[in-house]
Each structure stands twice: as C-alpha cells, then as structure tokens.
Amino acid sequence: MMFTSTGSRGLYKAPLSKSLLLLPTVLTVLLTVLLPQYQDLFIYNLQAVRQGKQFWRLVSGRLICLDLKDTFCSSLLIYNFRIFERRFGSHKFASFLFGAWILSAFVDLLLIEALRFMFELKVDVLPAGLLGPVFALFVPFYSSIPRVQVTQLLGHISITNKSLTYIVGAQLLTSSAYMWVVACSGLIAGMLYYSNKLAVQRFIRVPGWAARFSSVLLEPVFSDSEPTAEAPLGMGATLDIQRQQRMDMLDQQLLLSQLAHLRRNAQQQQAQQTGLLNWNRFFPTLRHRGQNRHHEGPQPQQPPYIPPPDNTAVAEEQVARLMEMGFSRMDAQEALRASNNDINIATNFLLQH
C-alpha cells in the first residue's frame, strides 16, 4: 500500500477551492481586458444601493474583482486556505464562505454608516470581488492552524509557516484606499460565523440539496484525481513551493493532533467513571496488539469503551481495509471520523499509536 504525502496533493479533495480559483480569475480577465464596457455592472457602489435602490449591486459588486492585483492576491489566499475544505468537507466549507459573504454585506453597510456618522467620512465605492469571505478565512486560519517557526531574521524576527499567508493578506489589505473596510467586515463576519455565538450557522448555510446539485455539476469538472506518487520534500522546488509543502504537511499533523486530543478527552472521561488511568490497556499499539494476541492469557473483563458522539459517516470499504491490516473496527471508525475519511491519515495515526 503506497501512502501519498499531502505536499503533492495540490487541489486534491478541494473542488470548491479550485472553482474559486479558476472562475473569478477568468471573469476578471474578461471584464478588464475584453469587455471593459460591462465593468460598471460589477462596481460595488454603496451610494447606488442607498439612493438608487440598486440592491442587486450587493450581489454583483461582491463576486468579481475588477483589479487584477486583487484577483492574484485573493487567489493565492484561497489556495492556502484550501486546507479547510479538505478538513471539514466541501459542504461545510461552502457554508462558511456563504455565511461570511452574507454577514459581511450587512457589516459593510453598518461600517459605512458608522464612519459617516462618527467621522463624517463619506465612502461611496468599496473594492469589488469575493473579498469578504477571503478575509473571513483568516479567523479559522489564526485560531486552528498551529504556528511553527521556520527560520529567524537578524536573530530576532521569527519567520513561521504562516508568515507568507499574512504577508499576502497585508498586500491585499493595502491594495486600495478603502480595502480596510472590506477587511474589517470580513473579519467580523468570520468571527461571528466561526464562533457561532448568535447561532448563525443554523440559519445561514448552504442547503443540502444545493450542495448535492453542485457536487454533481462541479466535481466532474473541478475534482482532481488522487495522487499516486510521492514527491520528496523540496526536490527541485523553489522556496515558496517548499513553504507550501510544509503547510500541507502541517495540515496532516493537525488532523493527527485532533484525533489524539479526541482520545485524550475520552481517556479522561473513562478515568473519571471507572478510576482506570492506563489507557493503553484499552488501545494498545499495533506492535503490542500482535504480542498480546499470541502470548497473553485471558484478560480480566474491562469496561467497554464509549466513544464520544460523532455524526460523521465513514465508508465501510475503508473500515474493511483498515481491519484487514489488523486494526479493530472501533479504532478504524474513530480514526476515519477524525481524519474526514482520509484513509492515509487514519492509517498513519493508527500505526503511530
């Protein structure tokens, strides 16, 4: 069985991210190069929304960037943030983007009115494009991606695996005079949706039927085939590619740490109920499983393990493949749930624990 490194996956298991990379870029090039006479329809003009009642601009003005530099920076950020689509699935990732897109529109209007009322600053036009959800993705990026130091500059400035992403975000932030308004509204919308303080995830989300329809329509076009060859880290690559590969490897490590954290929580709950502290008696490593099977006698009956509730569906075919390798059905199901049905990551975790 060949295991593939996440560094060689690219946009594998990220069809929505791939479509967000390709479609807006193509439309931006068409509007800026071939069809400039139609650009007025996609200007994010809030004065026209307030005074002219052109509410459709809240949709058209927030879909396509009219600046090639903004398109390039936002595309780089979407490519980096594709790890969230792999981890949570395309449906949840689309729901986050949709929720942030809806909420940031309201926050845009509130911020503009607040600036006019408090500072007498009149802002009529904001940068166009799918920028609010892009800035919103910095919230889960900051909260859930661990910070790993790569190198240091001048002995004091720390360069981490997240520095390049923040630099691209700062470049996008400074691309126009009022981009900071869009950035603030995106961050506020991202915090509201990610924290779910107001239960917004319950009301603003992509319906299941829309997700299934999009899956049937887009996945044959934008899905990538599973990589079959493992490329060594940094082999013939530039520094930027090496950093991106480290980000992909970090994504795998984060999934493994989440599964380990899940088991630690279950261990604490089991210890409180039964007073048993030796978790390895319930989940021995693969090496000890084989030894115990041949050399140990009958063991005293142990309390059954009660896994934490998880509604993630697992593929029976993948469970069967893990069981053929010697893992128990319960371990295989738990590992597949925590790794979002990625059999390579689930196998790596089970081999390491």
Side-chain angles (χ1 to χ4, degrees), residues 143-164:
S143 303
S144 62
I145 301 298
R147 180 174 173 268
V148 178
Q149 180 174 321
V150 177
T151 186
Q152 281 190 337
L153 295 179
L154 304 177
H156 301 285
I157 304 175
S158 178
I159 303 298
T160 70
N161 58 309
K162 304 168 72 172
S163 298
L164 182 61

Side-chain angles (χ1 to χ4, degrees), residues 308-348:
D310 195 327
N311 297 325
T312 304
V314 295
E316 287 298 326
E317 180 182 356
Q318 295 180 349
V319 173
R321 291 174 63 184
L322 291 176
M323 293 177 65
E324 290 175 358
M325 298 174 61
F327 303 112
S328 68
R329 181 178 181 84
M330 180 176 58
D331 288 358
Q333 289 177 334
E334 182 182 358
L336 287 170
R337 288 193 186 99
S339 61
N340 196 24
N341 284 313
D342 192 314
I343 191 169
N344 292 334
I345 296 178
T347 306
N348 289 339

Side-chain angles (χ1 to χ4, degrees), residues 112-261:
I112 294 304
E113 293 299 324
L115 291 174
R116 185 172 60 174
F117 177 76
M118 299 176 62
F119 305 102
E120 297 182 356
L121 179 62
K122 187 178 181 181
V123 180
D124 294 330
V125 179
L126 289 177
L130 199 68
L131 300 173
V134 172
F135 282 109
L137 285 169
F138 276 99
V139 175
F141 181 74
Y142 175 81
S143 303
S144 62
I145 301 298
R147 180 174 173 268
V148 178
Q149 180 174 321
V150 177
T151 186
Q152 281 190 337
L153 295 179
L154 304 177
H156 301 285
I157 304 175
S158 178
I159 303 298
T160 70
N161 58 309
K162 304 168 72 172
S163 298
L164 182 61
T165 303
Y166 287 130
I167 291 173
V168 176
Q171 177 65 36
L172 181 61
L173 179 64
T174 57
S175 62
S176 61
Y178 293 111
M179 183 65 78
W180 64 271
V181 178
V182 178
C184 289
S185 64
L187 292 174
I188 293 173
M191 287 186 288
L192 287 174
Y193 199 88
Y194 186 71
S195 62
N196 198 27
K197 295 294 185 181
L198 304 177
V200 292
Q201 295 181 13
R202 184 178 179 181
F203 305 102
I204 307 177
R205 60 181 180 178
V206 176
W209 62 267
R212 291 189 293 270
F213 176 77
S214 300
S215 177
V216 173
L217 184 65
L218 297 179
E219 278 197 3
V221 180
F222 295 107
S223 62
D224 286 350
S225 59
E226 184 175 0
T228 57
E230 179 176 359
L233 180 62
M235 181 66 68
T238 63
L239 180 59
D240 289 341
I241 295 178
Q242 293 179 28
R243 289 173 179 170
Q244 185 57 52
Q245 290 174 339
R246 292 190 184 98
M247 285 288 293
D248 291 334
M249 294 181 63
L250 181 64
D251 180 37
Q252 179 177 352
Q253 294 171 4
L254 185 61
L255 285 173
L256 294 177
S257 66
Q258 288 177 344
L259 182 54
H261 181 69

Side-chain angles (χ1 to χ4, degrees), residues 2-6 8 227-233:
M2 182 176 294
F3 299 100
T4 58
S5 171
T6 54
S8 61
T228 57
E230 179 176 359
L233 180 62

